[in-house]
Amino acid sequence: MATDVQAVILVGGKGTRLRPLTLSAPKPMLPTAGVPFLTHLISRIRDAGVTDIVLGTSYQAEVFSDYYGDGADLGVKLTYVTETEALGTGGGIRNVFDELTADTVLVFNGDVLGGTDIREVLDTHRSSDAEVTLHLVRVGDPRAFGCVPTDGDGRVTAFLEKTQDPPTNQINAGTYVFRREVIAEIPAGRPVSVEREVFPRLLAAGRHVHAYVDDAYWRDMGTPEDFVRGSADLVRGIAPSPALRGAGGEALVKDGAQVAPDAVLIGGTVIGANAKIGSGARLDGAVIFDEAVVEDGAVVERSIVGFGARVGAGALVRDTVIGDHAVIGARCELLRGARVWPGVQLPESGIRFSTDV
Ligand code: GTP
């Protein structure tokens, strides 16, 4: 057991890119392959032998403690520290300092779905005797991420947030190991970005920041496209999660859902508890939250249908986010990044992309 290690998970962001779903729940609590996203991450941390976990909360802080309590159901000890004003990623880490007793502190962004071996990240931190170790992952297009070059010994040489001309395909994967005393150096009581301020300053001062680089499964769940893909990857067993033993089918149907026998569920689709899927409906890579309804003959592809929402008969919903309790009238067509706000009611055939009726 790694008893000399504590974990911190940053879960205080507003999740603006996932609106309107994040108006009613913080991003890490959105159902992902049947459980709140955060359950996958906490389970991974626990399975790496780290059971003392501090959640750095801000936006909708009470939702976390109401659901997880002291963490005993997941076999961990959870402590909550809430920012009255959002302090950003670095400020959020600094704000939990009083709860830190271990010398080694693992820090996670609360929205990363990953398959990295957390024990190996810790081993690298110890064997290199670094002050901070960053988990880096190699990706095809690093431009949208923090790009992090390293030297031949594995030391980090620069931290370039979202650059158009990246010198390497190694990106910041949002998991860090800090020596506790380095966290004390982060300015307290004001917003601080770990990516834009803390890491660049440590590097400018010549401090020892090391890298653990791999090609493990990795996805930032911050956008609807990534959320849908990550959820489907969990269902299909492509993304590993100890909270989902035995995953690996085309669909996951939660208890109490009613699915018509001739409905087609493929592509890692999830049907939430007490949801209803009508006859002839076709769902491909769909995320259907609890209590939602998809009526006869509707098609839902790579989309999220919010809690208690309804997709009318024959509707087409593709690459779309539908807010809680919204009603999409029969034969509507919603495509390419559409977002329907909670409770909105679209009349039958009210929005279409084709001219036939
Ligand atoms: P967007 O608004 O869509 O960018 O999402 P976000 O607010 O979650 O921001 P981002 O994805 O950059 O955040 C990365 C991680 O840090 C997420 O797990 C957030 O919950 C967390 N985070 C972001 N800002 C704060 C903050 O001010 N305080 C705390 N405690 N966590 C934060």
Side-chain angles (χ1 to χ4, degrees):
M1 288 286 276
T3 47
D4 57 333
V5 181
Q6 281 172 292
V8 174
I9 312 179
L10 295 170
V11 293
K14 287 201 170 97
T16 52
R17 291 166 296 159
L18 271 176
R19 283 182 187 161
L21 301 172
T22 43
L23 297 175
S24 53
K27 174 167 57 174
M29 293 304 285
L30 291 176
T32 318
V35 294
F37 177 75
L38 191 58
T39 298
H40 300 292
L41 180 54
I42 292 174
S43 305
R44 271 184 66 224
I45 296 170
R46 177 203 60 213
D47 281 13
V50 179
T51 53
D52 186 342
I53 302 175
V54 184
L55 294 188
T57 63
S58 174
Y59 178 67
Q60 298 196 3
E62 66 293 345
V63 178
F64 297 95
S65 46
D66 287 352
Y67 185 86
Y68 290 111
D70 64 4
D73 288 354
L74 284 176
V76 297
K77 172 177 153 292
L78 288 182
T79 311
Y80 303 87
V81 180
T82 303
E83 295 147 42
T84 37
E85 161 210 5
L87 293 172
T89 46
I93 300 169
R94 177 65 179 84
N95 195 54
V96 307
F97 183 76
D98 288 349
E99 299 296 331
L100 301 178
T101 48
D103 289 334
T104 305
V105 183
L106 257 169
V107 178
F108 295 86
N109 279 352
D111 56 355
V112 170
L113 178 60
T116 294
D117 187 332
I118 294 170
R119 283 195 170 91
E120 284 193 24
V121 182
L122 284 168
D123 287 349
T124 300
H125 180 73
R126 292 196 187 98
S127 60
S128 65
D129 203 25
E131 294 180 280
V132 178
T133 298
L134 312 185
H135 170 219
L136 311 181
V137 66
R138 285 181 277 257
V139 297
D141 182 0
R143 280 174 303 181
F145 303 99
C147 177
V148 187
T150 46
D151 69 15
D153 296 327
R155 280 178 81 126
V156 171
T157 54
F159 197 99
L160 311 163
E161 190 66 10
K162 300 185 179 66
T163 171
Q164 276 311 301
D165 195 15
T168 165
N169 64 351
Q170 298 171 175
I171 61 149
N172 169 24
T175 298
Y176 323 116
V177 192
F178 278 84
R179 277 196 211 159
R180 192 172 73 99
E181 62 262 27
V182 178
I183 294 176
E185 295 176 32
I186 300 173
R190 68 159 169 92
V192 181
S193 160
V194 77
E195 300 89 350
R196 294 181 192 278
E197 190 171 337
V198 176
F199 296 143
R201 283 203 178 167
L202 286 169
L203 292 168
R207 309 280 291 271
H208 185 177
V209 180
H210 216 84
Y212 173 82
V213 191
D214 69 8
D215 300 293
Y217 183 93
W218 185 85
R219 185 171 296 281
D220 172 341
M221 300 285 273
T223 64
E225 302 77 53
D226 281 311
F227 188 85
V228 162
R229 266 291 289 279
S231 175
D233 285 350
L234 280 163
V235 171
R236 300 165 104 182
I238 296 168
S241 171
L244 263 190
R245 302 222 187 273
E250 280 294 295
L252 187 153
V253 178
K254 294 288 286 182
D255 287 350
Q258 295 172 36
V259 180
D262 63 346
V264 177
L265 310 182
I266 56 174
T269 286
V270 186
I271 310 296
N274 304 319
K276 279 192 194 146
I277 310 300
S279 174
R282 181 184 159 85
L283 281 69
D284 185 352
V287 181
I288 310 297
F289 284 4
D290 295 356
E291 320 267 339
V293 176
V294 176
E295 294 181 351
D296 296 353
V299 174
V300 181
E301 294 176 358
R302 299 183 301 271
S303 296
I304 308 163
V305 179
F307 185 86
R310 176 178 289 264
V311 176
L316 170 62
V317 173
R318 180 183 293 149
D319 299 315
T320 288
V321 179
I322 298 175
D324 297 344
H325 301 291
V327 177
I328 309 304
R331 285 179 298 288
C332 278
E333 294 175 342
L334 297 173
L335 310 174
R336 297 184 213 116
R339 294 176 194 233
V340 180
W341 245 243
V344 164
Q345 304 201 358
L346 298 179
E348 185 173 333
S349 299
I351 295 188
R352 293 180 62 81
F353 283 70
S354 52
T355 48
D356 54 317
V357 284

